């Protein structure tokens, strides 16, 4: 048994531009333990809820995280709507679904870039971010913001998308598929990428369930769990099967995300073809009273919102349990036993989003 | 399945046009919907303070007695909430971002003579 | 809309927590989260801990109420993933939790002041 060394990793680190700090306990080149600590950028957004009116907090909720911004807004709105028993118009539900899937595509493309960066392929990083840029353009065209959509509000959505734009969007996404083929082709078939991903950071099915993993991390270990099955927004009427892989290593997580890209495009096409006409928002009167848990499937996995309101215009308690937070135990588990040089890879395949943790 | 995926991609990239723009010469095109920056039109404003109450970041201050409207530009998150709410339609979102220059931190608009056609007096 | 219904919360005492959690674990439930909130109950600050479990997309909630600074047992022996939540609650609310499987002893959240969520 070698001597144990502790190497600090982060919060400022070249491969992980996220303020997560890990103390890695090494024995020679092998990790034996990892001790995380967070809180470097804690913003207290959960406490801010009691200082903003409930309808305005949507804009704050969207800013919890830049990548899943729409999802955070959506989750908050859904929770308040559930408490106030607001019936959201059909068209708004479909629009929400489309935006949610667009943010999934852009998040996964971004992840591909960061993962490529983590194992040192700048070229691939640029390529996937270029594709992401075209998705961001679609988002900007439809919602008005590149990353902060500002599209969701309590009772519906803030703007409609015209049928022509929807058609255009579908064509653009269809074209994007060709580019994605090339991108995911490299990730899934290239030999040198395979060396960095295959068999690294294995999370077995049992471990994943025991450690409470969610999202692509869990699905890569062969568990079929996807919160979109709950049927929020318009998912109830769309047909899809959760993407699963069985190996549970970094490569499987990569493959899950690659296939989810196509699934999202397909879901958008379905939603566009089924889009009903009509209003996009309802008038909201009164104030919420009650409490509610709301769960959504973010690009990174299951997120849970808890809202407790006491009938005033200010909400009493708002809690977000983000997917990355739940994935920390799995991340620590995967890190144990892997090489020091694989640390960035393993951390990135979990797709950590520290700003989500640090509400 | 596909052999040499990476090599092919790298070769392709050698011979294709660059995907980037030469930025200051070829500026970004904004979409009509883009939420860029808030524009205030003094002439219609009734100083009702609605926008001040509903701004999530408290970027707007309205002083009714002095007929003054003030925006703290760096606080504004361009959410567009005030534009939706203003009954007079004097707040709009321009689809263009603020240029990267140093601006005065606060923008004052004051109506000099009450109910005149509204000359902007920027302090 | 097939959304989650208005929530049902089972209110338990601190002593019942571990046994109920164990039986839920044996039934195949998964721990979704532990949430702590500070509520005012007739002028006295009370911490409410909500334990959320899920099985086949159905939620099961347990709530326990404790006073500030009270001690509660850990459930991380039963659900391996509970230690992050318990460390979080300890660091942000100052609840001392006995027997966390991986206890960071207040070093998980690096905050400028201890237990920021209990301050007003
Ligand atoms: S809401 Fe419109 S009219 Fe009222 S103070 Fe603001 S800008 Fe002026
Ligand atoms: S756009 Fe939003 S943040 Fe900016 S002034 Fe208007 S309401 Fe406030």
């Amino acid at each position: 048994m070698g001597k144990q060394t502790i190497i600090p990793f982060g919060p400022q680190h070249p491969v992980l531009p996220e303020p997560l700090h890990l103390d890695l306990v090494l024995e020679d080149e092998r990790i034996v333990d990892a001790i995380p600590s967070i809180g470097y950028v804690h913003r207290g957004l959960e406490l801010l809820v009691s200082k903003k009116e409930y309808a305005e907090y949507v804009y704050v909720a969207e800013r919890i995280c830049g990548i899943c911004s729409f999802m955070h807004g959506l989750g908050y709105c859904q929770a308040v709507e559930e408490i106030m028993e607001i019936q959201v118009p059909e068209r708004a539900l479909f629009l929400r679904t489309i935006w949610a899937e667009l943010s999934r595509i852009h998040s996964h493309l971004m992840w591909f870039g960061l993962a490529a960066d983590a194992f040192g392929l700048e070229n691939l990083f640029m390529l996937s971010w270029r594709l992401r840029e075209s998705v961001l353009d679609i988002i900007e065209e439809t919602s008005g913001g590149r990353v902060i959509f500002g599209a969701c509000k309590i009772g519906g959505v803030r703007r409609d998308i015209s049928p022509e734009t929807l058609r255009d969007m579908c064509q653009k996404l269809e074209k994007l598929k060709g580019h994605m083929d090339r991108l995911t082709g490299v990730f899934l078939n290239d030999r040198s990428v395979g060396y960095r991903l295959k068999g690294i950071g294995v999370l077995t099915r049992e471990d994943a369930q025991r450690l409470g993993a969610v999202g692509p991390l869990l699905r890569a270990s062969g568990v079929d769990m996807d919160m979109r099955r709950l049927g929020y927004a318009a998912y109830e009427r769309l047909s899809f099967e959760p993407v699963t892989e069985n190996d549970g290593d970094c490569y499987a997580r990569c493959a899950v995300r690659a296939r989810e890209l196509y699934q999202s495009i397909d879901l958008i096409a379905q939603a566009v073809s089924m889009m009903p006409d009509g209003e996009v928002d309802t008038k909201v009167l009164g104030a919420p009273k009650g409490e509610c848990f709301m769960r959504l499937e973010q690009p990174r996995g299951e997120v849970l919102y808890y809202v407790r309101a006491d009938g005033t215009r200010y909400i009493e308690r708002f809690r977000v349990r983000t997917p990355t937070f739940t994935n920390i135990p799995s991340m620590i588990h995967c890190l144990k036993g892997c090489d020091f040089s694989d640390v960035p890879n393993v951390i990135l395949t979990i797709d950590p989003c520290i700003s989500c943790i640090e509400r | 399945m596909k052999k040499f995926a990476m090599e092919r991609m790298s070769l392709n990239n050698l011979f294709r046009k660059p995907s980037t723009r030469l930025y200051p010469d070829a500026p970004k095109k904004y979409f009509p919907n883009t939420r860029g920056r808030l524009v205030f039109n003094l002439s219609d404003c009734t100083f009702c303070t609605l926008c001040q109450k509903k701004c999530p970041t408290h970027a707007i201050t309205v002083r009714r007695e002095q007929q003054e409207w003030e925006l703290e530009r760096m606080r504004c998150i361009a959410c567009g909430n005030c534009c939706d709410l203003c009954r007079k339609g004097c707040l709009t979102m321009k689809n263009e971002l603020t240029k990267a220059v140093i601006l005065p931190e606060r923008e004052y608009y004051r109506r000099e003579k009450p109910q005149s056609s509204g000359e902007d007096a920027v302090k | 809309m097939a959304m989650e219904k208005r929530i049902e919360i089972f209110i338990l005492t601190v002593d019942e927590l571990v046994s109920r959690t164990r039986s839920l674990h044996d039934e195949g439930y998964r721990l979704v989260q532990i949430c702590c909130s500070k509520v005012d109950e007739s002028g006295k600050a009370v911490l409410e801990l909500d334990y959320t479990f899920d099985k086949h997309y159905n939620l099961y909630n347990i709530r326990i109420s404790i006073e500030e600074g009270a001690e509660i047992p850990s459930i991380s022996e039963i659900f391996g993933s509970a230690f992050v939540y318990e460390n979080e609650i300890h660091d942000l609310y100052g609840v001392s939790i006995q027997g966390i499987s991986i206890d960071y002893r207040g070093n998980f959240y690096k905050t400028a002041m201890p237990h920021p969520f209990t301050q007003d």
Side-chain angles (χ1 to χ4, degrees):
Chain A
M1 211 192 236
K3 207 173 80 191
Q4 291 202 338
T5 326
I6 295 181
I7 295 196
F9 180 91
Q12 306 283 336
H13 195 272
V15 293
L16 188 74
E18 303 245 15
L20 168 75
H21 175 81
L22 286 172
D23 279 321
L24 301 171
V25 183
L26 271 82
E27 239 165 49
D28 300 333
E29 284 278 295
R30 218 150 266 282
I31 314 277
V32 289
D33 202 0
I35 302 161
S37 56
I38 53 176
Y40 292 93
V41 288
H42 199 86
R43 293 159 293 166
L45 294 183
E46 284 182 355
L47 286 184
L48 196 61
V49 79
S50 53
K51 305 216 167 48
K52 302 267 171 228
E53 273 189 33
Y54 74 94
E56 280 148 29
Y57 191 76
V58 183
Y59 304 110
V60 182
E62 284 205 320
R63 282 163 173 79
I64 289 176
C65 152
I67 307 163
C68 328
S69 67
F70 184 75
M71 307 280 201
H72 283 301
L74 176 64
Y76 173 75
C77 289
Q78 280 192 4
V80 175
E81 282 156 10
E82 175 83 5
I83 293 177
M84 298 175 77
E85 292 173 353
I86 297 167
Q87 192 73 40
V88 181
E90 290 281 290
R91 191 176 171 86
L93 291 181
F94 275 86
L95 288 171
R96 283 176 174 187
T97 311
I98 289 173
W99 275 317
E101 288 307 317
L102 279 174
S103 49
R104 193 181 315 277
I105 300 176
H106 107 73
S107 166
H108 282 353
L109 282 173
M110 192 192 83
W111 176 82
F112 274 110
L114 291 178
D117 194 35
F119 50 69
L121 292 171
E122 287 286 320
N123 188 347
L124 268 181
F125 165 78
M126 289 295 177
L127 188 87
S128 37
W129 280 50
R130 192 181 76 203
L131 298 187
R132 173 176 179 251
E133 201 55 38
S134 55
V135 181
L136 288 182
D137 276 349
I138 299 178
I139 294 175
E140 183 174 348
E141 191 183 348
T142 52
S143 75
R146 269 163 55 88
V147 282
I148 303 290
F149 289 48
C152 213
K153 72 170 179 189
I154 293 171
V157 290
R158 282 176 66 201
R159 39 171 65 137
D160 202 350
I161 311 182
S162 70
E164 299 82 57
T165 322
L166 282 177
R167 227 185 14 251
D168 263 16
M169 182 169 86
C170 282
Q171 281 166 3
K172 277 184 206 155
L173 288 176
E174 215 37 60
K175 243 174 64 196
L176 193 66
K177 262 191 190 173
H179 293 290
M180 281 186 197
D181 280 339
R182 286 202 294 149
L183 177 75
T184 53
V186 175
F187 270 93
L188 300 181
N189 302 319
D190 190 78
R191 218 159 32 127
S192 55
V193 177
Y195 283 140
R196 294 305 306 271
L197 297 179
K198 280 189 187 154
I200 307 285
V202 179
L203 187 68
T204 60
R205 190 190 164 103
E206 290 71 36
D207 282 339
Q209 281 175 323
R210 183 171 57 84
L211 295 169
V214 293
L217 180 65
L218 180 64
R219 291 197 284 276
S221 299
V223 185
D224 163 357
M225 190 182 82
D226 191 327
M227 287 303 137
R228 286 178 282 180
R229 285 266 184 86
L230 285 173
Y232 63 90
Y235 288 111
E236 214 181 353
R237 272 156 284 177
L238 309 178
S239 73
F240 69 98
E241 272 303 309
V243 176
T244 54
E245 293 279 334
N246 291 321
D247 296 343
D249 55 358
C250 290
Y251 181 80
R253 286 168 218 151
C254 190
V256 166
R257 293 201 173 90
R259 282 167 54 203
E260 281 188 359
L261 285 175
Y262 296 98
Q263 186 192 41
S264 293
I265 295 184
D266 177 51
L267 279 172
I268 292 178
Q270 282 185 39
V272 169
S273 68
M274 289 161 74
M275 181 86 98
D277 287 332
E279 288 289 302
V280 293
D281 61 346
T282 47
K283 223 171 158 47
V284 178
L285 294 171
K289 186 168 169 51
E291 50 190 335
C292 150
F293 285 105
M294 179 58 61
R295 286 184 295 166
L296 305 181
E297 184 75 17
Q298 271 188 353
R300 286 159 184 71
E302 172 204 41
V303 58
L304 181 139
Y305 301 88
Y306 169 64
V307 173
R308 177 206 306 231
D310 53 359
T312 60
R313 302 192 69 76
Y314 301 92
I315 280 171
E316 215 180 320
R317 174 87 168 105
F318 174 57
R319 157 153 171 109
V320 197
R321 198 282 279 137
T322 50
T324 314
F325 195 76
T326 323
N327 282 340
I328 288 179
S330 324
M331 179 175 85
I332 296 168
H333 178 83
C334 289
L335 281 175
K336 282 181 195 168
C338 75
D339 272 345
F340 185 54
S341 55
D342 288 328
V343 171
N345 263 343
V346 172
I347 294 183
L348 268 166
T349 48
I350 276 134
D351 201 356
C353 173
I354 305 302
S355 62
C356 275
I357 296 185
E358 314 263 25
R359 285 91 44 196
Chain B
M1 196 180 71
K2 268 185 247 147
K3 286 268 166 62
F4 302 115
M6 177 109 65
E7 289 77 358
R8 247 191 269 164
M9 182 185 285
S10 307
L11 274 179
N12 259 336
N13 278 353
L14 266 185
F15 295 109
R16 45 178 297 156
K17 290 204 312 248
S19 326
T20 46
R21 275 174 289 112
L22 275 174
Y23 167 61
D25 297 335
K28 178 177 161 57
K29 278 202 191 63
Y30 296 106
F31 296 97
N33 265 343
T34 305
R35 279 176 288 122
R37 105 181 115 95
L38 186 66
V39 180
F40 175 60
N41 172 6
L42 181 67
S43 53
D44 295 336
C45 181
T46 55
F47 302 98
C48 65
T49 70
L50 191 66
C51 51
Q52 174 186 352
K53 285 197 199 106
K54 295 291 179 184
C55 172
T57 55
H58 310 303
I60 302 177
T61 318
V62 184
R63 288 181 210 93
R64 189 180 293 157
E65 300 81 51
Q66 284 101 324
Q67 305 266 297
E68 243 179 20
W69 192 93
E70 179 187 326
L71 172 69
E72 219 175 308
R73 180 68 73 184
M74 295 313 278
R75 275 192 117 153
C76 170
I77 51 175
C79 64
N81 198 19
C82 51
C83 311
D84 294 357
L85 287 167
C86 176
R87 295 200 198 92
K88 293 285 170 190
C90 42
L91 289 167
T92 39
M93 268 294 160
K94 197 161 188 213
N95 66 339
E96 207 172 81
L97 299 186
T98 329
K99 292 269 165 14
V101 291
I102 299 166
L103 289 172
E105 252 171 48
R106 284 156 186 274
E107 292 172 30
Y108 283 100
Y109 297 86
R110 180 188 291 145
R111 184 170 290 152
E112 289 295 11
K113 289 161 260 147
Q115 303 311 322
S116 76
S117 62
E119 289 137 45
D120 300 7
V122 180
K123 248 191 211 168
Chain C
M1 285 192 295
M3 281 194 198
E4 279 160 331
K5 304 272 148 30
R6 188 59 70 80
I7 52 167
E8 227 183 310
I9 296 185
F10 297 92
I11 298 178
L12 298 187
T13 62
V14 177
D15 306 332
E16 293 167 310
L17 174 70
V18 173
S19 57
R20 178 70 68 92
T21 314
R22 197 178 296 281
S23 63
L24 285 172
H25 177 261
D26 296 340
E27 284 168 41
Y29 277 86
R30 169 178 76 86
L31 177 73
V32 179
Q33 65 122 14
I34 307 174
C35 159
C36 185
S37 26
K38 190 182 165 199
V39 285
D40 240 11
E41 239 167 53
S42 53
K44 218 168 77 201
V46 170
L47 298 175
E48 283 187 350
L49 273 80
D50 297 342
Y51 293 72
T52 310
F53 303 90
D54 156 291
K55 186 183 177 184
H56 304 310
Y57 303 105
N58 288 318
L59 287 182
Y60 186 99
N61 302 295
I62 294 178
R63 169 168 295 166
I64 57 172
S65 298
I66 53 168
E67 285 178 10
E68 263 184 291
E71 275 186 8
I72 58 163
S74 163
I75 60 160
S76 52
E77 288 299 319
I78 308 165
F79 287 99
S81 58
F83 75 90
V84 271
Y85 306 113
E86 291 179 340
N87 277 301
E88 184 193 26
I89 290 170
H90 172 259
D91 291 2
L92 296 183
Y93 287 92
V95 180
S96 63
I97 300 176
Q98 299 301 310
I100 309 179
S101 61
I102 304 177
D103 193 348
Y104 298 121
R105 297 182 200 290
N107 291 322
F108 186 47
Y109 261 92
K110 305 269 184 202
T111 46
M113 53 169 150
H115 321 316
F117 277 42
T118 51
Q119 331 263 330
D120 287 313

